[in-house]
Amino acid sequence: RIDNPAPGAGPFKPVIAVINPETYPDADSIKVTVRVPGLLAQDNQGNTNPYEIVYAVDIATNSDNFVQQEEITIRGKSMTPYQRTSFYVLPKPTPTNNNTYWKVRVRRVSTNILSVRVQNEIYVDSISVVTSSSFAYPNSVIVGTEINADQFSSIPARAYEVQGLRVSVPQG
């Protein structure tokens, strides 16, 4: 049960970041991380109750209007910081333009309550650019192992059976 008090007149400024092609020529997507230091509402009896915050992430290409990518609700009760990270693909314009830039906006949708009884602040911790490059390593083998450290006192010995082809590498 979410027991939110009546909204007050709390200010909140959207955060806007600009991603330009000169700095990030291979930008494919973004990662947005928000932080909530604490989330709760205290009633008249002194009980702490769950609360919720709603925010949205919008992206604009070049000078176009912002398009909402997602509206996110953080709901619950926490007295310690909480972070949420979301990923968004950057839209590519048609026709393709090498001078494409993006504006990313994170805005609060729910009202910011200004009260000592409510903890409902939200901060943008980071907006990161992600480049997804696929690298091909033909005729190569890559092995990944995940080991639970609680099960071993030291790193266990590992062996792999590989059915491959031995090739002479010329020196030159």
Side-chain angles (χ1 to χ4, degrees):
R1 176 175 167 257
I2 305 298
D3 193 10
N4 293 352
F12 180 77
K13 288 179 75 170
V15 173
I16 298 177
V18 177
I19 301 164
N20 67 49
E22 293 162 7
T23 308
Y24 304 103
D26 299 325
D28 293 321
S29 56
I30 56 161
K31 178 175 79 166
V32 177
T33 302
V34 299
R35 177 177 42 89
V36 177
L39 188 62
L40 60 91
Q42 189 177 47
D43 61 22
N44 291 334
Q45 288 75 36
N47 301 315
T48 55
N49 300 307
Y51 198 75
E52 71 178 27
I53 295 173
V54 182
Y55 69 96
V57 176
D58 310 321
I59 298 176
T61 304
N62 296 331
S63 58
D64 294 343
N65 292 329
F66 280 102
V67 175
Q68 182 173 308
Q69 302 299 303
E70 185 176 20
E71 188 172 281
I72 300 168
T73 302
I74 299 175
R75 176 180 293 123
K77 180 170 75 170
S78 175
M79 294 182 188
T80 59
Y82 170 77
Q83 286 186 325
R84 166 127 351 140
T85 300
S86 305
F87 290 88
Y88 304 97
V89 175
L90 292 171
K92 302 293 184 194
T94 50
T96 304
N97 180 354
N98 290 340
N99 295 324
T100 299
Y101 66 92
W102 297 274
K103 290 184 284 186
V104 179
R105 176 175 68 185
V106 180
R107 61 185 167 83
R108 185 178 181 134
V109 175
S110 59
T111 303
N112 186 12
I113 307 296
L114 295 176
S115 169
V116 294
R117 291 183 165 192
V118 178
Q119 290 185 23
N120 70 338
E121 293 296 317
I122 186 169
Y123 299 94
V124 176
D125 262 5
S126 66
I127 298 175
S128 306
V129 175
V130 179
T131 301
S132 302
S133 300
S134 60
F135 299 103
Y137 298 100
N139 305 319
S140 299
V141 176
I142 299 174
V143 176
T145 305
E146 185 174 312
I147 300 170
N148 187 342
D150 295 335
Q151 296 176 353
F152 301 95
S153 60
S154 64
I155 297 175
R158 296 166 313 281
Y160 304 97
E161 184 176 334
V162 178
Q163 295 178 351
L165 179 64
R166 191 171 264 186
V167 180
S168 298
V169 177
Q171 294 182 354

